[in-house]
Short mmCIF file of all heavy atoms in Angstrom, two decimals:
data_model
loop_
_atom_site.label_atom_id
_atom_site.label_comp_id
_atom_site.label_asym_id
_atom_site.label_seq_id
_atom_site.Cartn_x
_atom_site.Cartn_y
_atom_site.Cartn_z
N ASP G 45 -23.41 9.19 0.14
CA ASP G 45 -24.39 8.72 1.20
C ASP G 45 -23.96 7.26 1.66
O ASP G 45 -23.85 6.39 0.75
CB ASP G 45 -25.79 8.70 0.60
CG ASP G 45 -26.41 10.00 0.50
OD1 ASP G 45 -26.43 10.76 1.56
OD2 ASP G 45 -26.86 10.39 -0.56
N TYR G 46 -23.82 7.10 2.95
CA TYR G 46 -23.51 5.69 3.44
C TYR G 46 -24.78 5.09 3.97
O TYR G 46 -25.23 5.37 5.14
CB TYR G 46 -22.54 5.80 4.57
CG TYR G 46 -21.21 6.53 4.17
CD1 TYR G 46 -20.97 7.89 4.32
CD2 TYR G 46 -20.21 5.85 3.36
CE1 TYR G 46 -19.82 8.46 3.88
CE2 TYR G 46 -18.97 6.49 3.15
CZ TYR G 46 -18.78 7.79 3.29
OH TYR G 46 -17.70 8.43 2.82
N SER G 47 -25.48 4.36 3.14
CA SER G 47 -26.73 3.93 3.48
C SER G 47 -26.79 2.69 4.55
O SER G 47 -27.73 2.30 5.06
CB SER G 47 -27.51 3.41 2.28
OG SER G 47 -26.82 2.47 1.53
N ASP G 48 -25.59 2.00 4.65
CA ASP G 48 -25.50 0.91 5.60
C ASP G 48 -24.15 0.94 6.20
O ASP G 48 -23.18 0.25 5.89
CB ASP G 48 -25.69 -0.34 4.85
CG ASP G 48 -25.59 -1.62 5.76
OD1 ASP G 48 -25.90 -1.51 7.00
OD2 ASP G 48 -25.39 -2.70 5.26
N ILE G 49 -23.93 1.85 7.26
CA ILE G 49 -22.74 2.19 7.87
C ILE G 49 -22.11 0.92 8.51
O ILE G 49 -22.77 0.18 9.27
CB ILE G 49 -22.85 3.32 8.87
CG1 ILE G 49 -23.29 4.63 8.14
CG2 ILE G 49 -21.56 3.51 9.57
CD1 ILE G 49 -23.60 5.81 9.05
N VAL G 50 -20.81 0.65 8.25
CA VAL G 50 -20.01 -0.37 8.89
C VAL G 50 -18.66 0.25 9.29
O VAL G 50 -18.05 0.87 8.57
CB VAL G 50 -19.74 -1.51 7.85
CG1 VAL G 50 -18.82 -2.66 8.54
CG2 VAL G 50 -21.00 -2.16 7.43
N GLY G 51 -18.42 0.06 10.58
CA GLY G 51 -17.12 0.60 11.11
C GLY G 51 -17.34 1.70 12.15
O GLY G 51 -18.47 2.03 12.51
N ALA G 52 -16.27 2.26 12.63
CA ALA G 52 -16.31 3.20 13.74
C ALA G 52 -16.91 4.58 13.32
O ALA G 52 -17.49 5.22 14.18
CB ALA G 52 -14.80 3.39 14.31
N ASN G 53 -16.72 5.04 12.06
CA ASN G 53 -17.27 6.31 11.74
C ASN G 53 -18.73 6.20 11.50
O ASN G 53 -19.20 5.48 10.55
CB ASN G 53 -16.50 6.76 10.43
CG ASN G 53 -16.96 8.19 9.99
OD1 ASN G 53 -17.74 8.81 10.65
ND2 ASN G 53 -16.62 8.54 8.73
N ARG G 54 -19.50 6.90 12.21
CA ARG G 54 -21.00 6.76 12.19
C ARG G 54 -21.58 7.94 11.30
O ARG G 54 -22.77 8.08 11.26
CB ARG G 54 -21.59 6.90 13.51
CG ARG G 54 -20.96 5.94 14.58
CD ARG G 54 -20.85 4.42 14.11
NE ARG G 54 -22.13 3.77 13.77
CZ ARG G 54 -22.29 2.67 13.28
NH1 ARG G 54 -21.16 1.95 12.80
NH2 ARG G 54 -23.45 2.14 13.04
N GLN G 55 -20.73 8.77 10.61
CA GLN G 55 -21.24 9.81 9.80
C GLN G 55 -22.00 9.19 8.60
O GLN G 55 -21.39 8.41 7.79
CB GLN G 55 -20.07 10.72 9.30
CG GLN G 55 -20.53 11.86 8.48
CD GLN G 55 -19.36 12.82 8.11
OE1 GLN G 55 -18.44 12.92 8.93
NE2 GLN G 55 -19.43 13.39 6.89
N SER G 56 -23.24 9.69 8.37
CA SER G 56 -24.06 9.00 7.41
C SER G 56 -23.90 9.56 6.01
O SER G 56 -24.39 9.10 4.99
CB SER G 56 -25.49 9.05 7.81
OG SER G 56 -25.92 10.37 7.90
N LYS G 57 -23.32 10.85 5.96
CA LYS G 57 -23.19 11.53 4.62
C LYS G 57 -21.99 12.33 4.69
O LYS G 57 -21.70 13.05 5.61
CB LYS G 57 -24.44 12.36 4.37
CG LYS G 57 -24.49 12.85 2.91
CD LYS G 57 -25.84 13.56 2.72
CE LYS G 57 -25.96 13.96 1.28
NZ LYS G 57 -27.19 14.59 0.97
N ALA G 58 -21.21 12.40 3.51
CA ALA G 58 -20.24 13.38 3.25
C ALA G 58 -20.56 14.16 1.93
O ALA G 58 -20.81 13.57 0.93
CB ALA G 58 -18.90 12.67 3.11
N GLU G 59 -20.74 15.44 2.10
CA GLU G 59 -21.03 16.24 1.02
C GLU G 59 -20.49 17.61 1.16
O GLU G 59 -20.73 18.37 2.13
CB GLU G 59 -22.67 16.36 0.89
CG GLU G 59 -23.23 17.18 -0.18
CD GLU G 59 -24.66 17.29 -0.22
OE1 GLU G 59 -25.37 17.21 0.90
OE2 GLU G 59 -25.33 17.33 -1.29
N GLU G 60 -19.81 17.99 0.02
CA GLU G 60 -19.11 19.32 0.07
C GLU G 60 -19.05 19.87 -1.29
O GLU G 60 -19.08 19.09 -2.24
CB GLU G 60 -17.68 19.32 0.76
CG GLU G 60 -17.80 19.06 2.31
CD GLU G 60 -16.41 18.97 2.90
OE1 GLU G 60 -15.53 18.34 2.37
OE2 GLU G 60 -16.24 19.55 3.99
N TRP G 61 -18.82 21.15 -1.41
CA TRP G 61 -18.67 21.88 -2.72
C TRP G 61 -17.48 22.88 -2.62
O TRP G 61 -17.40 23.61 -1.70
CB TRP G 61 -19.92 22.56 -3.08
CG TRP G 61 -19.92 23.29 -4.44
CD1 TRP G 61 -19.14 23.03 -5.42
CD2 TRP G 61 -20.75 24.30 -4.66
NE1 TRP G 61 -19.64 23.81 -6.42
CE2 TRP G 61 -20.54 24.73 -6.05
CE3 TRP G 61 -21.84 25.09 -3.91
CZ2 TRP G 61 -21.22 25.80 -6.68
CZ3 TRP G 61 -22.47 26.15 -4.57
CH2 TRP G 61 -22.09 26.49 -5.98
N GLY G 62 -16.55 22.82 -3.49
CA GLY G 62 -15.35 23.67 -3.41
C GLY G 62 -14.94 24.15 -4.87
O GLY G 62 -15.36 23.75 -5.89
N GLN G 63 -14.13 25.27 -4.68
CA GLN G 63 -13.61 25.91 -5.83
C GLN G 63 -12.03 25.88 -5.76
O GLN G 63 -11.55 26.36 -4.74
CB GLN G 63 -14.01 27.33 -6.12
CG GLN G 63 -13.47 28.12 -7.22
CD GLN G 63 -13.80 27.53 -8.60
OE1 GLN G 63 -14.97 27.37 -8.88
NE2 GLN G 63 -12.88 27.22 -9.37
N GLY G 64 -11.45 25.37 -6.74
CA GLY G 64 -9.95 25.13 -6.78
C GLY G 64 -9.30 25.88 -7.83
O GLY G 64 -9.83 26.04 -9.00
N PHE G 65 -8.13 26.44 -7.67
CA PHE G 65 -7.20 26.96 -8.69
C PHE G 65 -5.84 26.24 -8.65
O PHE G 65 -5.42 26.07 -7.56
CB PHE G 65 -7.11 28.42 -8.51
CG PHE G 65 -8.41 29.27 -8.63
CD1 PHE G 65 -9.10 29.43 -7.56
CD2 PHE G 65 -8.81 29.69 -9.82
CE1 PHE G 65 -10.32 30.15 -7.54
CE2 PHE G 65 -10.08 30.26 -9.91
CZ PHE G 65 -10.76 30.62 -8.85
N ILE G 66 -5.32 25.92 -9.79
CA ILE G 66 -4.15 25.19 -9.90
C ILE G 66 -3.26 25.94 -10.97
O ILE G 66 -3.57 25.91 -12.15
CB ILE G 66 -4.32 23.75 -10.33
CG1 ILE G 66 -5.28 23.02 -9.43
CG2 ILE G 66 -3.03 23.01 -10.38
CD1 ILE G 66 -5.78 21.63 -9.87
N LEU G 67 -2.08 26.50 -10.50
CA LEU G 67 -1.24 27.24 -11.38
C LEU G 67 0.02 26.31 -11.47
O LEU G 67 0.66 25.92 -10.60
CB LEU G 67 -0.83 28.59 -10.72
CG LEU G 67 0.28 29.33 -11.58
CD1 LEU G 67 -0.39 29.80 -12.83
CD2 LEU G 67 0.85 30.47 -10.69
N THR G 68 0.35 26.01 -12.83
CA THR G 68 1.51 25.22 -13.08
C THR G 68 2.44 26.00 -13.98
O THR G 68 2.02 26.37 -15.14
CB THR G 68 1.14 23.97 -13.83
OG1 THR G 68 0.13 23.26 -12.98
CG2 THR G 68 2.32 23.01 -14.09
N PHE G 69 3.62 26.20 -13.48
CA PHE G 69 4.75 26.97 -14.23
C PHE G 69 5.85 26.09 -14.47
O PHE G 69 6.38 25.40 -13.52
CB PHE G 69 5.08 28.21 -13.58
CG PHE G 69 6.32 28.90 -14.14
CD1 PHE G 69 6.15 29.63 -15.35
CD2 PHE G 69 7.57 28.71 -13.58
CE1 PHE G 69 7.26 30.22 -15.94
CE2 PHE G 69 8.81 29.34 -14.24
CZ PHE G 69 8.62 30.03 -15.33
N LYS G 70 6.37 25.88 -15.66
CA LYS G 70 7.51 25.01 -15.95
C LYS G 70 8.43 25.93 -16.90
O LYS G 70 8.00 26.37 -17.98
CB LYS G 70 7.05 23.77 -16.74
CG LYS G 70 6.24 22.84 -15.90
CD LYS G 70 5.93 21.49 -16.62
CE LYS G 70 5.04 20.60 -15.78
NZ LYS G 70 5.67 20.15 -14.69
N SER G 71 9.58 26.20 -16.29
CA SER G 71 10.55 26.93 -17.03
C SER G 71 11.30 26.10 -18.11
O SER G 71 11.22 24.88 -18.11
CB SER G 71 11.62 27.48 -16.06
OG SER G 71 12.60 26.51 -15.78
N GLY G 72 12.09 26.79 -19.02
CA GLY G 72 13.02 26.17 -19.78
C GLY G 72 14.25 25.91 -19.11
O GLY G 72 14.25 25.88 -17.85
N TYR G 73 15.35 25.66 -19.94
CA TYR G 73 16.66 25.40 -19.27
C TYR G 73 17.64 26.31 -19.70
O TYR G 73 17.58 26.88 -20.82
CB TYR G 73 17.12 23.93 -19.65
CG TYR G 73 16.30 22.80 -19.02
CD1 TYR G 73 15.15 22.31 -19.62
CD2 TYR G 73 16.67 22.45 -17.70
CE1 TYR G 73 14.44 21.35 -19.08
CE2 TYR G 73 15.85 21.35 -17.14
CZ TYR G 73 14.76 20.85 -17.82
OH TYR G 73 14.04 19.89 -17.23
N THR G 74 18.59 26.64 -18.85
CA THR G 74 19.70 27.47 -19.32
C THR G 74 20.51 26.75 -20.33
O THR G 74 20.53 25.60 -20.49
CB THR G 74 20.59 27.82 -18.09
OG1 THR G 74 21.03 26.65 -17.44
CG2 THR G 74 19.89 28.59 -17.09
N GLN G 75 21.11 27.61 -21.09
CA GLN G 75 22.10 26.97 -22.23
C GLN G 75 23.27 26.41 -21.64
O GLN G 75 23.83 26.80 -20.64
CB GLN G 75 22.27 28.09 -23.34
CG GLN G 75 20.95 28.69 -23.93
CD GLN G 75 21.25 29.74 -24.99
OE1 GLN G 75 22.43 30.17 -25.12
NE2 GLN G 75 20.15 30.25 -25.48
N GLY G 76 23.90 25.42 -22.44
CA GLY G 76 25.05 24.91 -22.06
C GLY G 76 24.87 23.35 -21.82
O GLY G 76 23.87 22.85 -21.92
N PRO G 77 26.06 22.63 -21.52
CA PRO G 77 25.95 21.22 -21.37
C PRO G 77 25.06 20.79 -20.23
O PRO G 77 24.50 19.72 -20.21
CB PRO G 77 27.41 20.81 -21.13
CG PRO G 77 28.07 22.03 -20.59
CD PRO G 77 27.39 23.21 -21.31
N VAL G 78 25.05 21.64 -19.11
CA VAL G 78 24.04 21.33 -18.04
C VAL G 78 23.09 22.45 -17.91
O VAL G 78 23.32 23.62 -17.63
CB VAL G 78 24.80 21.32 -16.64
CG1 VAL G 78 23.84 20.99 -15.55
CG2 VAL G 78 25.92 20.16 -16.71
N GLY G 79 21.83 22.08 -18.31
CA GLY G 79 20.76 23.13 -18.22
C GLY G 79 20.09 23.11 -16.88
O GLY G 79 19.84 22.00 -16.32
N VAL G 80 19.75 24.18 -16.28
CA VAL G 80 19.10 24.28 -15.10
C VAL G 80 17.75 25.12 -15.21
O VAL G 80 17.59 25.94 -16.17
CB VAL G 80 19.92 24.78 -13.91
CG1 VAL G 80 21.17 24.04 -13.69
CG2 VAL G 80 20.29 26.33 -14.36
N GLY G 81 16.75 24.82 -14.37
CA GLY G 81 15.58 25.54 -14.39
C GLY G 81 14.80 25.45 -13.16
O GLY G 81 15.32 24.84 -12.13
N ILE G 82 13.47 25.99 -13.14
CA ILE G 82 12.69 26.01 -11.97
C ILE G 82 11.33 25.80 -12.40
O ILE G 82 10.86 26.45 -13.40
CB ILE G 82 13.00 27.27 -11.07
CG1 ILE G 82 12.15 27.15 -9.80
CG2 ILE G 82 12.57 28.57 -11.83
CD1 ILE G 82 12.48 28.37 -8.79
N ASP G 83 10.61 24.99 -11.60
CA ASP G 83 9.13 24.89 -11.94
C ASP G 83 8.40 25.38 -10.61
O ASP G 83 8.97 25.38 -9.48
CB ASP G 83 8.71 23.45 -12.12
CG ASP G 83 9.37 22.83 -13.38
OD1 ASP G 83 9.74 23.63 -14.24
OD2 ASP G 83 9.38 21.64 -13.55
N ALA G 84 7.10 25.66 -10.74
CA ALA G 84 6.33 26.13 -9.58
C ALA G 84 4.88 25.54 -9.70
O ALA G 84 4.39 25.47 -10.72
CB ALA G 84 6.21 27.65 -9.55
N LEU G 85 4.43 25.18 -8.62
CA LEU G 85 3.06 24.56 -8.45
C LEU G 85 2.30 25.31 -7.40
O LEU G 85 2.81 25.26 -6.25
CB LEU G 85 3.06 23.11 -8.18
CG LEU G 85 1.70 22.49 -7.97
CD1 LEU G 85 0.91 22.44 -9.29
CD2 LEU G 85 1.87 21.07 -7.35
N GLY G 86 1.34 26.12 -7.78
CA GLY G 86 0.46 26.85 -6.75
C GLY G 86 -0.82 26.37 -6.78
O GLY G 86 -1.44 26.19 -7.79
N THR G 87 -1.40 26.15 -5.59
CA THR G 87 -2.82 25.69 -5.50
C THR G 87 -3.52 26.49 -4.40
O THR G 87 -3.12 26.93 -3.43
CB THR G 87 -2.86 24.12 -5.02
OG1 THR G 87 -2.11 23.90 -3.76
CG2 THR G 87 -2.23 23.24 -6.17
N LEU G 88 -4.82 26.67 -4.68
CA LEU G 88 -5.74 27.47 -3.83
C LEU G 88 -7.09 26.72 -3.77
O LEU G 88 -7.59 26.45 -4.90
CB LEU G 88 -5.82 28.82 -4.24
CG LEU G 88 -7.02 29.68 -3.53
CD1 LEU G 88 -6.60 29.91 -1.99
CD2 LEU G 88 -7.08 31.02 -4.24
N GLY G 89 -7.61 26.36 -2.64
CA GLY G 89 -8.90 25.73 -2.51
C GLY G 89 -9.82 26.58 -1.61
O GLY G 89 -9.34 27.10 -0.55
N LEU G 90 -11.11 26.80 -2.09
CA LEU G 90 -11.99 27.63 -1.39
C LEU G 90 -13.29 26.91 -1.12
O LEU G 90 -13.76 26.16 -1.88
CB LEU G 90 -12.45 28.86 -2.28
CG LEU G 90 -11.24 29.79 -2.67
CD1 LEU G 90 -11.74 30.83 -3.67
CD2 LEU G 90 -10.62 30.49 -1.57
#
Side-chain angles (χ1 to χ4, degrees):
D45 285 306
Y46 302 96
S47 58
D48 182 24
I49 295 174
V50 177
N53 182 10
R54 311 310 296 174
Q55 183 178 324
S56 62
K57 187 174 186 177
E59 182 182 30
E60 292 180 314
W61 181 26
Q63 175 66 51
F65 296 93
I66 305 165
L67 177 71
T68 305
F69 171 78
K70 295 183 181 296
S71 80
Y73 292 90
T74 57
Q75 298 176 358
V78 180
V80 298
I82 185 171
D83 297 342
L85 175 67
T87 59
L88 170 65
L90 303 173

